[in-house]
Amino acid sequence: MNSILFLPILPEIFLTIISMFLLILGVFNKGENAYTLVSNLSIISLLITLFFVISGMIPQGLSFGSSLISDDFSIFLKALILTASIAILIVSNIYLKDIRLLKFEYIILILISVIGMMIMVSSNDLITLYLSIELQSLPLYVLASIRNKSLKSTESGLKYFVLGALSSCILLYGLSLIYGYTGSIYYSDMAANIQVSDIGVLVGLAFALAGFAFKISAVPFHMWTPDVYEGSPTTITAFFAIAPKIAALGLIARILITGLPSLIEDWRSILILLSIFSMLLGAFSAIGQSNIKRLLAYSSISHMGFALMGIANGSIEGIRSLCLYLLIYLVMSLAIFISIIALKKENEHVEEINQLSGLSKTNPIMAIILSILLFSLAGIPPLAGFFAKFYVLYAAINAELYYLAIFGVVSSVISAFYYLRIIKIMYFDDSSITFDPISKRLKLLIYTLSAITLLFFIKPSLFLNMADIAASSLFI
Amino acid sequence: MLIMSILFYLFSFIMIGSAFMVVLSRNPVHSVLFLILCFFNSAGIFLILGAEFLAFILVIVYVGAVAVLFLFVVMMLDVEFKSLTSSIISYLPVGMTIGFIILSELMLVLFTWKREYVKIDLDIMEDQNLYTNTEALGLVLYTDNILYFQLAGLILLASMIGAIVLTVNHRPSAKRQSIESQVNRDSKNSIENINIKPGSGI
């Protein structure tokens, strides 16, 4: 147990070495050349890492004492994170050229952040947990403000940094209390040592959950989300909305279920409140938004509420629904963000919802795809988004969390309103802008992702099995 | 032991005195210098306690980095010193209250703490003559805890890249010295004869 086994985290080590190599490569090349080189190489190395992760060649198990664990759950989430980052790097190539921001450091920071996320989902003790969260979020603060000539970008970066640092303090305080009252930093020892009557560990749990809730922007720790999403470059917004959320939810699920299983009643009640508030606030606040990125920010808050519902369940069925939800959320959000990036007019990207008016006449294919994606986000059958919400709600009902399920359905109905409003604007309003033709690479990505969304119902068992394997490894 | 006691009282009195001077001195630069003195004396107390690693870290981090940074900020900012010092009396009640609260909390902890100590298995520290603090820390930091150490290193790398990305500003229009072109200059292509007609410009 105490011997250091490097093999289970070989993908992370590989990615770390590659990122440093690319950093040096970027420094010694100039300008646009450096960006193209670093970007292409990083996409290739992420693909290699993804192949390593899903091929099953890497042995599972504990490494570095028992600081890190590699099991089916972490492999599933790592695959999602890597897929998201590969797609975002491909889109960034096109987007950054449009806004003239070809800095190779952008790629390096994304790579380092991805390493942090991969360690987050396989962290198995409190110190690794905290360090990996920091490793993940520090590059994100910089990425939020990487357009340092734009006031909004700088503002969003500063806001994110200050609030993120504060939440890290709260998280660290909570973790230190948990450590103090359980006497161990390792999840397995924590689970064994915990005394349910101890009030100190409960206080620690509450603080730690507050810190986690900030990372996944659950209400009432969501204040930063709309501003940061609006101010950052759109590719970074897409990255924010997908990858860190997946990593943080995986980390929360692991610490709560393997580390603090005997406190289930306590953390469940906290998570239920977070979940209900997130779903409702996400649904209501999005109604008044005119900026697409702000709207998607509130939409992601609402989705995080649904995902938390899966963890609040606490059973294997709940975690399975969480895994499935994260997979479908990844596909839908990636598709919708890439569509937004694709719609532009002479390097001016769509920002306001009204700019989409009459899209059905000027670009009917994109209008149909956007409608499919928005219907899916709203959870209308038979699209993928419906199945995501269905399994989460089904698991909640099976665990007798009826009121949670009722709030879920109600907020889903409310959120359908603003998704449908965009479709109404696209189909029934007069057209205002004719967009430029979309590049082939983006088209390919958008079509693939929307095809998965549309055709999910034909064989849901394919994805359900993956989610099942991932979830069951958490309960051994 | 007498020398130890003398040293302890010396260090602690200078420390308390300089801590007072940090608050009371009229010139912020003097305040920072007293802060540095305070740090040095606490490092001395750590040395007496046998915690030489903490003493080094205190000097390196607090004196070498934090206090010097303070000094830079204080000297670069053009603060009006007089307006700062005049309001000391008005802060006195708040300061006294906070001091009193902290004092009473300390008393509470000292006199009511009854939690039993957990005996920690300190194999490595058992033979104190074998390792110094620094060696003992190094032995676990680079072996058992190598993962944490490397992760912290990566975090520092990320923050360094971030700081450079956000602040470095490559302006193509900026005029820089080009030594190559200066050296390659000669009289043939730098002097030109032009016939100018009277009454007209170039």
Side-chain angles (χ1 to χ4, degrees), chain A residues 34-229:
Chain A
Y35 177 84
T36 332
L37 198 65
V38 170
S39 150
N40 290 337
L41 282 176
S42 67
I43 290 171
I44 293 168
S45 48
L46 280 172
L47 279 171
I48 294 170
T49 319
L50 180 64
F51 172 73
F52 270 133
V53 167
I54 59 178
S55 66
M57 287 194 307
I58 307 293
Q60 299 192 358
L62 298 166
S63 51
F64 288 101
S66 51
S67 295
L68 285 169
I69 186 167
S70 172
D71 54 8
D72 286 320
F73 185 67
S74 73
I75 285 172
F76 179 80
L77 294 178
K78 276 179 199 172
L80 294 191
I81 292 165
L82 286 168
T83 318
S85 48
I86 292 167
I88 280 160
L89 281 184
I90 293 174
V91 179
S92 299
N93 279 352
I94 296 158
Y95 180 75
L96 294 187
K97 262 186 202 117
D98 289 343
I99 62 168
R100 295 205 190 80
L101 191 85
L102 292 170
K103 291 180 177 172
F104 75 91
E105 292 95 339
Y106 172 98
I107 312 280
I108 308 286
L109 288 170
I110 285 189
L111 278 183
I112 292 178
S113 180
V114 167
I115 297 165
M117 288 169 205
M118 289 171 74
I119 297 173
M120 266 168 88
V121 293
S122 51
S123 66
N124 202 28
D125 72 26
L126 295 177
I127 298 180
T128 321
L129 177 151
Y130 177 71
L131 285 174
S132 60
I133 286 184
E134 286 301 296
L135 182 59
Q136 173 257 149
S137 45
L138 256 170
L140 294 188
Y141 302 146
V142 181
L143 285 171
S145 52
I146 198 156
R147 273 177 101 168
N148 53 8
K149 295 216 171 56
S150 140
L151 197 64
K152 264 192 176 167
S153 180
T154 321
E155 181 204 331
S156 80
L158 190 66
K159 223 173 232 177
Y160 193 23
F161 175 66
V162 172
L163 289 175
L166 183 71
S167 82
S168 287
C169 293
I170 293 171
L171 175 67
L172 201 56
Y173 184 56
L175 294 183
S176 69
L177 278 176
I178 293 178
Y179 166 62
Y181 280 90
T182 56
S184 175
I185 55 168
Y186 298 104
Y187 291 175
S188 47
D189 298 348
M190 272 162 54
N193 293 352
I194 213 159
Q195 283 160 345
V196 183
S197 56
D198 229 339
I199 195 83
V201 74
L202 279 185
V203 176
L205 175 71
F207 273 102
L209 277 178
F212 291 140
F214 177 90
K215 301 292 177 203
I216 56 165
S217 69
V219 178
F221 306 98
H222 65 286
M223 274 69 165
W224 57 278
T225 324
D227 291 339
V228 172
Y229 278 31

Side-chain angles (χ1 to χ4, degrees), chain B:
Chain B
M1 291 313 286
L2 183 68
I3 289 202
M4 284 298 178
S5 311
I6 292 172
L7 277 177
F8 172 76
Y9 284 112
L10 184 73
F11 284 140
S12 20
F13 274 108
I14 296 180
M15 191 165 95
I16 293 170
S18 56
F20 265 107
M21 288 310 288
V22 171
V23 189
L24 294 178
S25 78
R26 290 178 169 271
N27 190 335
V29 179
H30 292 177
S31 285
V32 178
L33 291 175
F34 274 115
L35 191 68
I36 293 175
L37 184 64
C38 183
F39 284 141
F40 265 114
N41 283 292
S42 34
I45 290 180
F46 273 129
L47 272 181
I48 292 175
L49 290 171
E52 86 285 348
F53 185 73
L54 279 179
F56 297 154
I57 289 294
L58 196 77
V59 172
I60 292 171
V61 174
Y62 278 93
V63 179
V66 178
V68 171
L69 197 70
F70 266 136
L71 206 58
F72 270 121
V73 172
V74 167
M75 287 162 95
M76 282 169 82
L77 288 180
D78 195 18
V79 191
E80 284 209 19
F81 297 147
K82 275 176 193 165
S83 63
L84 278 178
T85 45
S86 63
S87 56
I88 267 185
I89 310 255
S90 62
Y91 288 123
L92 205 62
V94 184
M96 293 277 275
T97 321
I98 294 175
F100 181 73
I101 290 171
I102 292 176
L103 187 71
S104 48
E105 279 176 350
L106 270 177
M107 291 296 172
L108 273 176
V109 170
L110 275 178
F111 294 118
T112 63
W113 185 260
K114 288 226 171 59
R115 206 177 166 82
E116 280 180 33
Y117 292 101
V118 185
K119 193 166 179 293
I120 305 167
D121 191 21
L122 290 172
D123 290 338
I124 212 158
M125 305 291 283
E126 215 167 49
D127 198 348
Q128 289 212 336
N129 297 327
L130 209 59
Y131 300 119
T132 61
N133 269 331
T134 320
E135 275 175 308
L137 268 172
L139 277 177
V140 287
L141 192 60
Y142 299 110
T143 53
D144 294 348
N145 299 335
I146 182 74
L147 176 70
Y148 309 142
F149 185 71
Q150 293 291 340
L151 281 179
L154 259 183
I155 294 173
L156 286 180
L157 174 73
S159 51
M160 197 172 76
I161 297 173
I164 293 172
V165 170
L166 291 183
T167 49
V168 166
N169 195 4
H170 289 296
R171 279 176 305 152
S173 61
K175 291 196 163 68
R176 290 173 201 281
Q177 185 182 22
S178 166
I179 296 173
E180 191 193 351
S181 64
Q182 283 178 352
V183 173
N184 284 338
R185 248 169 85 99
D186 58 15
S187 59
K188 274 178 196 159
N189 47 27
S190 49
I191 299 174
E192 203 177 342
N193 278 329
I194 299 175
N195 282 325
I196 303 171
K197 284 178 188 169
S200 67
I202 298 168

Side-chain angles (χ1 to χ4, degrees), chain A residues 217-256:
Chain A
S217 69
V219 178
F221 306 98
H222 65 286
M223 274 69 165
W224 57 278
T225 324
D227 291 339
V228 172
Y229 278 31
E230 191 191 355
S232 316
T234 314
T235 42
I236 292 302
T237 312
F239 193 60
F240 280 159
I242 300 164
K245 302 286 165 72
I246 294 174
L249 281 167
L251 177 139
I252 298 171
R254 189 186 295 282
I255 185 175
L256 291 184

